[in-house]
């Protein structure tokens, strides 16, 4: 089966998608799933020549029904609705303020191609290879790397990076308002087992067949006490599950060009509680062990939801609601994807 028949591109947005013109050489063959956030009566314009579906809040409520509350509103977390309704094996998700970056030789970077290379080659979470990705052309396993581990494990997530505007939190934005990332590191590496990372959803791909149900971006935005932690929540949950199920996560290449820094004062209002909460959330995920009986992503996620309820509920009532959202998400996933684990 051709790759074009196996991959969807998911884009959350509140505006016209003029940015797609720059991506046309790379994206035009693929199917786009556009998740319109905010006012569903607003018309979103998509450049001609793209194959796409556009879903707004009315569509989410129609398709998800009485569990639509688990899909965030007025937050980029709404992108996970696209993961829910896709029928393809692979997902690439990108924000609408991200453009084609150039490598050090001034060539356009085909981000989608690099993500697929990452996902189609194994990962090495158990021992770190000092030449980074040993499956890359011109590299291999170094002396002392056990031959029994050289087959690696399937790669579930490919996490890309950004030139220009870094993915900073609000306090760092305020302290370094003019800082720009100009450093291009030509490397891909596997994040070791037992190590968490802050996943950014603006340039990320994953194997939906391997890890799809864990890619829930939580309850964020309107009606919630927190925002801008949606992708990180999905990153923490999915990494714990990848570690448990023997799957890999890669980070590094490809780069995109991130053009627009969001307002740090607005961001601080959204992030404020999360900045405190993360000091307990991170140790919680670091210490979380899933049971041997949880052998599928959905079973792992439902177990994790109850651990969130029991282990984080003391911080704020929000975490009990989030646990409910995690369960509702899995129930919705199973309803819309009945053959996922059969």
């Amino acid at each position: 089966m051709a790759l074009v028949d196996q991959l969807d591109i998911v884009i959350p947005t509140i505006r016209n998608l003029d940015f797609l013109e720059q991506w046309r050489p790379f994206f035009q063959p693929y199917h786009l799933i556009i998740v319109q956030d905010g006012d569903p009566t607003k018309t979103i314009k998509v450049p001609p020549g793209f194959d796409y579906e556009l879903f707004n809040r009315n569509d989410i409520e129609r398709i998800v029904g009485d569990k639509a509350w688990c899909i965030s509103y007025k937050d980029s977390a709404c992108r996970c609705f696209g993961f829910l309704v896709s029928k393809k094996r692979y997902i690439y998700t990108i924000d609408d303020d991200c453009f084609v970056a150039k490598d050090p030789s001034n060539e356009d970077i085909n981000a989608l191609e690099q993500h697929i290379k990452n996902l189609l080659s194994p990962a090495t979470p158990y021992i770190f290879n000092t030449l980074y990705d040993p499956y890359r052309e011109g590299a291999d396993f170094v002396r002392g790397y056990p031959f029994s581990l050289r087959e690696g494990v399937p790669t579930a997530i490919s996490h890309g990076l950004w030139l220009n505007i870094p993915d900073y939190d609000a306090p760092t934005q305020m302290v370094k308002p003019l800082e720009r990332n100009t450093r291009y590191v030509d490397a891909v590496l596997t994040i070791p087992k037992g190590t968490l990372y802050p996943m950014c959803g603006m340039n990320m791909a994953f194997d939906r067949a391997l890890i799809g149900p864990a890619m829930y971006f939580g309850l964020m935005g309107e009606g919630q006490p927190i925002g801008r932690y949606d992708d990180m929540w999905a990153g923490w949950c999915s990494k714990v599950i990848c570690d448990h199920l023997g799957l890999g996560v890669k980070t590094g290449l490809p780069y995109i060009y991130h053009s627009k820094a969001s307002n740090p004062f607005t961001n601080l209002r959204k992030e404020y509680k999360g900045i405190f909460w993360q000091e307990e959330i991170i140790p919680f995920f670091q210490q979380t062990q899933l049971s041997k009986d949880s052998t599928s992503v959905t079973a792992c996620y439902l177990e994790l939801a109850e651990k969130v309820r029991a282990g984080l509920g003391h911080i704020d009532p929000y975490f009990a609601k989030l646990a409910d959202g995690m369960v509702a998400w899995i129930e919705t996933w199973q309803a819309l994807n009945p053959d996922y684990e059969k």
Side-chain angles (χ1 to χ4, degrees), residues 24-328:
R24 187 180 291 275
F26 306 118
F27 287 3
Q28 193 160 9
Y30 294 91
H31 180 67
L32 312 181
I33 297 177
I34 300 164
V35 185
Q36 177 181 340
D37 197 17
D39 183 1
T41 65
K42 181 179 178 180
T43 300
I44 297 291
K45 294 181 180 178
V46 181
F50 287 94
D51 170 35
Y52 70 91
E53 295 173 277
L54 193 155
F55 297 93
N56 60 31
R57 191 69 199 181
N58 293 338
D59 298 312
I60 292 172
E61 292 180 359
R62 173 177 54 83
I63 293 168
V64 180
D66 61 2
K67 293 184 175 66
W69 62 269
C70 78
I71 306 296
S72 298
Y73 181 57
K74 293 190 176 179
D75 192 278
S76 64
C78 69
R79 82 176 75 224
C80 64
F81 175 78
F83 310 158
L84 190 67
V85 297
S86 171
K87 300 303 177 188
K88 305 289 179 61
R89 171 156 188 175
Y90 302 105
I91 296 286
Y92 175 49
T93 185
I94 186 172
D95 285 1
D96 60 13
D97 59 353
C98 296
F99 294 87
V100 178
K102 292 187 179 293
D103 65 20
S105 64
N106 208 38
E107 292 292 319
D108 286 349
I109 296 171
N110 186 342
L112 193 53
E113 180 182 59
Q114 180 64 52
H115 276 298
I116 292 302
K117 285 181 179 179
N118 292 346
L119 290 173
L120 294 184
S121 63
T124 53
Y126 302 122
I127 295 184
F128 187 81
N129 191 59
T130 50
L131 277 180
Y132 305 114
D133 192 341
Y135 305 102
R136 188 175 174 186
E137 185 177 351
D140 211 322
F141 292 95
V142 298
R143 180 170 55 90
Y145 202 102
F147 284 87
S148 60
L149 294 177
R150 293 190 181 193
E151 285 188 9
V153 303
T155 301
I157 300 170
S158 171
H159 179 256
L161 300 176
W162 344 268
L163 293 173
N164 196 40
I165 306 290
D167 185 33
Y168 284 163
D169 53 36
T172 309
Q173 280 183 296
M174 291 175 179
V175 173
K176 299 180 175 181
L178 301 179
E179 183 158 286
R180 299 293 181 265
N181 181 37
T182 59
R183 186 165 178 251
Y184 179 97
V185 179
D186 188 10
V188 176
L189 57 92
T190 297
I191 300 174
K193 181 181 180 182
T195 300
L196 298 175
Y197 72 111
M199 188 176 84
C200 173
M202 76 171 85
N203 174 29
M204 185 264 294
F206 63 93
D207 187 327
R208 191 172 174 275
L210 290 180
I211 200 65
M215 286 298 179
Y216 175 52
F217 277 47
L219 292 173
M220 304 282 155
E222 186 169 282
Q224 310 303 335
I226 188 174
R228 284 175 56 81
Y229 274 83
D230 53 318
D231 42 8
M232 287 182 283
W233 182 261
W236 297 327
C237 292
S238 59
K239 185 58 165 63
V240 167
I241 292 172
C242 281
D243 287 350
H244 178 73
L245 295 179
L247 302 171
V249 180
K250 291 185 175 183
T251 188
L253 301 179
Y255 284 88
I256 49 85
Y257 185 90
H258 184 209
S259 68
K260 180 170 63 68
S262 46
N263 185 300
F265 297 99
T266 301
N267 290 347
L268 184 60
R269 187 171 66 249
K270 294 177 180 179
E271 295 173 7
Y272 181 75
K273 289 189 175 182
I275 291 170
F276 294 95
W277 290 350
Q278 69 186 8
E279 301 302 322
E280 292 191 62
I281 294 172
I282 294 294
F284 163 79
F285 279 109
Q286 288 174 325
Q287 296 160 17
T288 292
Q289 298 289 324
L290 298 174
S291 69
K292 292 182 179 179
D293 294 335
S294 293
T295 57
S296 68
V297 179
T298 51
C300 287
Y301 205 76
L302 289 173
E303 182 182 351
L304 190 56
E306 294 315 306
K307 288 183 179 295
V308 166
R309 192 189 311 278
L312 296 177
H314 69 280
I315 299 175
D316 192 274
Y318 164 75
F319 288 96
K321 187 177 180 182
L322 176 55
D324 290 340
M326 295 168 72
V327 173

